[in-house]
């Protein structure tokens, strides 16, 4: 019974090992497990389990764990420092959990302790992994499904196992401990697997929403381009007649009529949906889509944009503009003033964005709050974290996080503050 429980708990610990590595090196890990990974994880389980059961040697167990953890980490990164750090960090957590388990079970009979110590340690490692995942994702401003409530599953499982070991000492009772321990290990694995599926579905939904948004933006810009081409072709087709009319008016010295005729031509070729025409197709697409939406829903929209055609990092700039403008429009349309002001300028590699909108909701600041003026500033240091005021908080609140990621990426400065019934966001990016 002890061998069976130890083997299952050891298998669960090796599964958790991959999750630990994924917390720090998730970007460098593929979703599908490769044959090399299966070989290393499988051999680690077989060698570690068999050596521990046969020899019961602490130093041999430490050596096997350190060697295999370092080999597994080296699959995902070539940095020696990273391999050493993660190997030491992961093993220290595992060893610390072993020590805590020994302390919790020190008053129980030795046979029961041998049976469930591995199970209790596995639950402790899982608790530490979930806490670490939460801390790292918070520092990265990552948009993750909440994992804190999930911690109660291994906590309750661990308490249950320790309680059973404390009150049961008979031979028949040991079978109950075995059955409950195996069941709890299985339950924790299933819950963790379902949590991963939920997390993947959450990211997939978010990516699909972003893709649909991009399709609408580019479809709108394509429609603008087609309309412009149609008007240019029509004007070009009748250009001979327009020139003749202008010559006739010039001969008669009708300066006022010439000006009116030119204004009519300009009005004919003007496309009201083309609010911005900087020459940068990617940025113009987002601005035309968002500003047209603003003009449809707001009373006053003022735009001042000066961008060169060859503006770099268009994707990052679009992420910033789309999220900030969407938040500004959503806030402004709920006010009586319904105001939006946008200024964008680029000079000598420095992009400056200023957005001002009317708002009437209470401003919720999670941290980085200053009482006077409700100001929050973000640069290379510090945090700016506004809490979403939208009703569905699970599906919203990521806009400013995504903006902050781009600000950090370009070592920029972002300032957001409220003044009366106006909300201001100002950014400087080094592009």
């Amino acid at each position: 019974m002890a061998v069976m429980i130890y083997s299952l708990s050891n298998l669960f610990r090796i599964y958790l090992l991959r999750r630990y590595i994924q917390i720090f090196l998730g970007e460098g890990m593929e979703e599908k497990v490769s044959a090399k990974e299966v070989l290393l994880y499988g051999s680690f389980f077989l060698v570690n389990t068999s050596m521990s059961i046969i020899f019961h040697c602490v130093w041999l167990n430490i050596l096997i764990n350190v060697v295999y953890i370092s080999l597994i980490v080296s699959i995902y990164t070539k940095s020696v420092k990273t391999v050493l750090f993660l190997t030491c960090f992961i093993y220290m957590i595992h060893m610390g959990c072993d020590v805590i388990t020994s302390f919790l079970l020190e008053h129980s009979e030795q046979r029961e302790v041998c049976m469930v110590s591995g199970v209790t340690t596995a639950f402790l490692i899982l608790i530490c992994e979930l806490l670490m995942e939460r801390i790292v994702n918070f520092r990265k401003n990552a948009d993750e499904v909440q994992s804190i409530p999930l911690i109660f599953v291994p906590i309750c499982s661990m308490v249950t196992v320790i309680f059973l070991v404390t009150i049961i000492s008979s031979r028949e009772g040991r079978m109950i401990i075995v059955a409950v321990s195996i069941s709890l290990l299985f339950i924790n694995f299933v819950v963790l697997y379902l949590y991963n599926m939920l997390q993947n579905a959450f990211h997939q939904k978010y990516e699909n929403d972003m893709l649909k948004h991009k399709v609408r933006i580019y479809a709108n810009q394509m429609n603008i381009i087609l309309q412009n081409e149609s008007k240019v072709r029509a004007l070009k087709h009748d250009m001979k007649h327009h020139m003749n009319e202008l010559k006739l008016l010039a001969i008669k010295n009708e300066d006022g009529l010439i000006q009116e005729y030119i204004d009519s031509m300009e009005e004919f070729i003007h496309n009201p949906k083309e609010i911005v025409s900087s020459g940068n197709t990617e940025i113009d697409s987002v601005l035309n889509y968002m500003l047209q939406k603003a003009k449809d829903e707001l009373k006053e929209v003022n735009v001042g944009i000066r961008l060169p055609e060859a503006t770099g990092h268009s994707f990052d700039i679009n992420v910033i503009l789309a999220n900030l403008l969407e938040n500004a429009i959503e806030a402004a349309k709920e006010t009586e003033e319904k105001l939006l002001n946008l200024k964008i300028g680029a000079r000598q590699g420095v992009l400056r964005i200023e957005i001002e909108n009317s708002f009437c909701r209470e401003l919720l600041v999670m941290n980085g709050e200053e009482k006077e003026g409700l100001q929050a500033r973000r640069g290379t240091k510090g945090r700016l974290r506004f809490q979403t005021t939208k009703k569905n908080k699970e599906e919203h609140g990521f806009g400013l996080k995504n903006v902050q990621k781009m600000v950090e990426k370009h070592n920029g400065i972002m300032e957001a503050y409220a003044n009366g019934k106006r909300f201001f966001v100002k950014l400087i990016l080094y592009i």
Side-chain angles (χ1 to χ4, degrees):
M1 288 189 293
V3 169
M4 180 172 59
I5 293 182
Y6 178 79
S7 300
L8 291 174
S9 60
N10 200 32
L11 183 63
F12 189 64
R13 288 173 68 166
I14 291 173
Y15 168 69
L16 293 178
L17 169 62
R18 192 175 193 277
R19 290 184 58 88
Y20 267 100
I21 298 172
Q22 200 166 15
I23 292 174
F24 297 95
L25 303 177
E27 295 179 357
M29 297 174 67
E30 297 180 359
E31 293 184 5
K32 294 183 178 179
V33 181
S34 64
K36 189 176 182 180
E37 289 179 275
V38 173
L39 180 63
L40 270 176
Y41 283 109
S43 61
F44 182 24
F45 168 71
L46 292 174
V47 172
N48 187 38
T49 304
S50 58
M51 292 297 102
S52 298
I53 292 172
I54 295 171
F55 295 104
H56 300 286
C57 178
V58 176
W59 291 107
L60 180 61
N61 183 271
I62 292 174
L63 179 63
I64 292 171
N65 275 273
V66 170
V67 170
Y68 267 99
I69 292 174
S70 61
L71 286 174
I72 291 171
V73 174
S74 63
I75 299 175
Y76 311 109
T77 178
K78 301 300 181 184
S79 173
V80 177
K81 291 182 179 179
T82 304
V83 172
L84 291 175
F85 169 75
L86 284 180
T87 300
C88 295
F89 180 77
I90 292 172
Y91 188 75
M92 289 299 292
I93 289 179
H94 282 226
M95 188 168 63
C97 292
D98 278 325
V99 172
I100 294 173
T101 298
S102 301
F103 175 77
L104 292 174
L105 298 174
E106 63 180 350
H107 299 297
S108 303
E109 292 186 16
Q110 187 64 30
R111 185 170 295 179
E112 279 74 19
V113 170
C114 289
M115 282 199 302
V116 300
S117 61
V119 176
T120 308
T121 302
F123 292 148
L124 279 172
I125 293 171
L126 175 56
I127 294 169
C128 293
E129 188 272 332
L130 293 173
L131 289 173
M132 184 59 59
E133 181 181 348
R134 179 63 180 168
I135 292 169
V136 171
N137 288 332
F138 177 80
R139 292 184 64 86
K140 290 180 179 179
N141 282 323
D143 307 328
E144 299 292 339
V145 179
Q146 294 292 334
S147 59
I148 293 298
L150 197 64
I151 294 178
F152 289 103
V153 178
I155 289 176
C156 293
S157 301
M158 183 178 65
V159 170
T160 301
V161 171
I162 294 174
F163 177 74
L164 289 176
V165 171
T166 304
I167 64 172
I168 295 177
S169 58
S170 63
R171 182 178 180 83
E172 294 76 11
R174 290 186 192 126
M175 293 299 297
I176 297 176
I177 295 175
V178 171
V180 170
S181 299
I182 293 174
S183 300
L184 290 175
L185 277 173
F186 179 74
I187 290 171
N188 277 263
F189 174 77
V190 170
V191 169
L192 206 56
Y193 180 75
L194 293 176
Y195 166 71
N196 285 340
M197 290 183 63
L198 177 63
Q199 203 172 51
N200 292 334
F202 173 80
H203 284 296
Q204 191 67 38
K205 181 180 181 299
Y206 182 71
E207 289 175 2
N208 288 338
D209 290 342
M210 290 298 295
L211 182 60
K212 290 178 183 177
H213 187 63
K214 289 178 183 177
V215 169
R216 288 195 297 267
I217 287 173
Y218 286 113
N220 179 71
Q221 186 66 15
M222 184 60 67
N223 185 41
I224 291 173
I225 293 172
L226 291 175
Q227 289 178 6
N228 287 344
E229 288 183 353
S230 176
K231 290 189 175 185
V232 169
R233 283 197 303 268
L235 187 64
K236 185 178 178 181
H237 180 267
D238 297 328
M239 185 59 69
K240 183 179 179 179
H241 303 295
H242 295 313
M243 294 301 294
N244 289 335
E245 183 65 24
L246 288 170
K247 285 179 182 179
L248 183 61
L249 292 174
I251 292 172
K252 295 179 180 180
N253 292 322
E254 299 286 353
D255 295 339
L257 293 176
I258 291 173
Q259 184 63 46
E260 288 181 10
Y261 198 90
I262 293 174
D263 290 341
S264 298
M265 292 174 64
E266 185 178 9
E267 184 179 352
F268 173 79
I269 202 170
H270 174 68
N271 189 342
K273 292 185 178 180
E274 189 176 29
I275 303 168
V276 179
S277 181
S278 67
N280 188 306
T281 306
E282 291 82 5
I283 297 177
D284 288 350
S285 300
V286 171
L287 288 175
N288 283 321
Y289 178 81
M290 298 305 300
L291 292 176
Q292 185 60 49
K293 180 180 178 182
K295 285 183 176 291
D296 292 340
E297 299 183 357
L298 306 180
K299 294 178 181 177
E300 184 179 354
V301 178
N302 302 312
V303 181
I305 297 174
R306 292 182 180 178
L307 282 175
E309 292 186 13
T311 304
H313 306 287
S314 297
F315 176 81
D316 297 345
I317 297 172
N318 283 347
V319 170
I320 293 171
L321 291 173
N323 283 297
L324 290 182
L325 286 174
E326 184 176 5
N327 289 344
I329 294 168
E330 288 292 323
K333 73 179 184 181
E334 295 182 0
T335 64
E336 293 183 4
E337 194 175 2
K338 297 186 185 299
L339 169 72
L340 174 67
N341 294 328
L342 172 65
K343 292 182 181 178
I344 303 175
R347 186 178 180 183
Q348 296 180 348
V350 178
L351 177 70
R352 185 179 181 88
I353 301 173
E354 295 183 14
I355 299 177
E356 174 188 357
N357 64 273
S358 55
F359 84 107
C360 60
R361 288 186 178 184
E362 181 183 359
L363 186 66
L364 302 177
V365 183
M366 295 171 65
N367 62 357
E369 178 181 348
E370 299 176 13
K371 294 295 182 183
E372 296 181 5
L374 283 175
Q375 296 187 20
R377 183 182 179 89
R378 179 166 182 106
T380 53
K381 296 181 180 179
R383 289 188 174 275
L384 168 64
R385 293 182 61 82
F386 287 98
Q387 185 176 352
T388 180
T389 56
K390 298 176 183 177
K391 293 181 180 180
N392 194 343
K393 291 179 168 52
E394 289 78 11
E395 296 186 6
H396 297 285
F398 302 133
L400 279 178
K401 290 181 182 180
N402 291 333
V403 172
Q404 289 166 6
K405 291 176 186 177
M406 298 306 172
V407 172
E408 281 186 340
K409 180 178 177 180
H410 296 285
N411 298 314
I413 297 171
M414 177 177 175
E415 185 179 15
Y417 61 93
N419 187 0
K421 294 184 178 180
R422 300 285 181 86
F423 189 77
F424 300 85
V425 177
K426 298 180 180 180
L427 290 92
I428 294 178
L429 299 178
Y430 301 95
I431 58 172

